[in-house]
Amino acid sequence: MTGTTRIDRVVTSGTFSLDGATWEVDNNVWIIGDDDDVVVVDAAHDAEAIQEAVAGRRVTAIVCTHAHDDHINAAAALASATKAPVKLHPADDELWQRVYPGTTYQPLADGDEIDVAGITLKVLHTPGHAPGAVCLHAPELSALFSGDTLFQGGPGATGRSFSSFPTIIDSITDRLLTLPPDTVVHPGHGDTTTIGAEAPHRQEWIDRGH
């Protein structure tokens, strides 16, 4: 390992389409690693911008927190350029095939561990926003990469196909709110937060129903 393990963020812009509608979105792409090796979380919209931020380091994996098109639409181009494997939970295969018909990925499973730059990213299967949604917990960094499962202010959206509000509440309650309160949450969109900042609001989320 060369240098200190760090977390870099690239914000890319594009669209998200599902259920016949399209929205303009800004996505967080997280790059975790040191001066030599990195893992990219959610290759969204702009493979060239992500490569620029990688800055010549070796990409050991491209992890998709789920297969909504805005989180994977640069994954194939980035994989081609870096020769890194794309990893996704197979419960999101139907969504993946809509963007990349007939193409494959390395399957993720709950409890998998992805090692990079001397730290471990543990895969937590957190369905609800999408069936194959996962979060990545990095205890050594006191960090959680939450995709669209948990944001500053509550759960990810569940009003569209393949989603379930009760399921996402269960995932957040059982898998995320049990993490240390000082764990920094790095979401797929928007600003970071902490587990401790979000945990007291669980009942409010349930009461509002979204």
Side-chain angles (χ1 to χ4, degrees):
M1 182 173 69
T2 304
T4 303
T5 305
R6 64 186 187 272
I7 300 166
D8 299 317
R9 177 173 72 164
V10 181
V11 179
T12 60
S13 300
T15 61
F16 163 50
S17 297
L18 189 65
D19 296 338
T22 298
W23 300 265
E24 299 284 338
V25 288
D26 295 329
N27 285 62
N28 294 328
V29 181
W30 300 103
I31 301 171
I32 308 130
D34 60 11
D35 292 342
D36 296 324
D37 297 326
V38 298
V39 165
V40 174
V41 179
D42 287 342
H45 307 305
D46 190 338
E48 289 186 6
I50 300 168
Q51 279 188 269
E52 184 176 339
V54 167
R57 293 174 287 175
R58 184 170 72 101
V59 179
T60 60
I62 300 163
V63 181
C64 308
T65 62
H66 61 294
H68 283 159
D69 59 2
D70 60 317
H71 288 254
I72 65 171
N73 55 14
L78 187 64
S80 177
T82 63
K83 310 307 179 190
V86 177
K87 297 176 179 284
L88 173 73
H89 194 288
D92 265 10
D93 186 68
E94 184 175 346
L95 287 163
W96 172 268
Q97 295 297 334
R98 292 180 178 192
V99 179
Y100 298 115
T103 61
T104 60
Y105 48 82
Q106 289 188 358
L108 288 174
D110 184 66
D112 282 357
E113 294 184 345
I114 300 167
D115 296 322
V116 64
I119 63 105
T120 298
L121 303 169
K122 184 175 181 180
V123 176
L124 308 176
H125 183 211
T126 53
H129 181 70
V134 301
C135 299
L136 302 176
H137 181 218
E140 296 99 329
L141 301 178
S142 295
L144 178 78
F145 302 90
S146 63
D148 288 3
T149 296
L150 180 64
F151 294 106
Q152 183 183 80
T158 53
R160 307 184 185 107
S161 297
F162 304 97
S163 66
S164 165
F165 181 71
T167 302
I168 202 171
I169 289 293
D170 286 347
S171 291
I172 292 171
T173 301
D174 297 341
R175 309 307 304 280
L176 304 187
L177 299 187
T178 54
L179 298 175
D182 63 350
T183 302
V184 178
V185 178
H186 300 272
H189 310 272
D191 296 330
T192 59
T193 183
T194 65
I195 293 296
E198 299 306 320
H201 302 289
R202 175 182 175 276
Q203 190 58 48
E204 296 170 28
W205 307 334
I206 293 170
D207 291 344
R208 77 189 186 200
H210 62 84

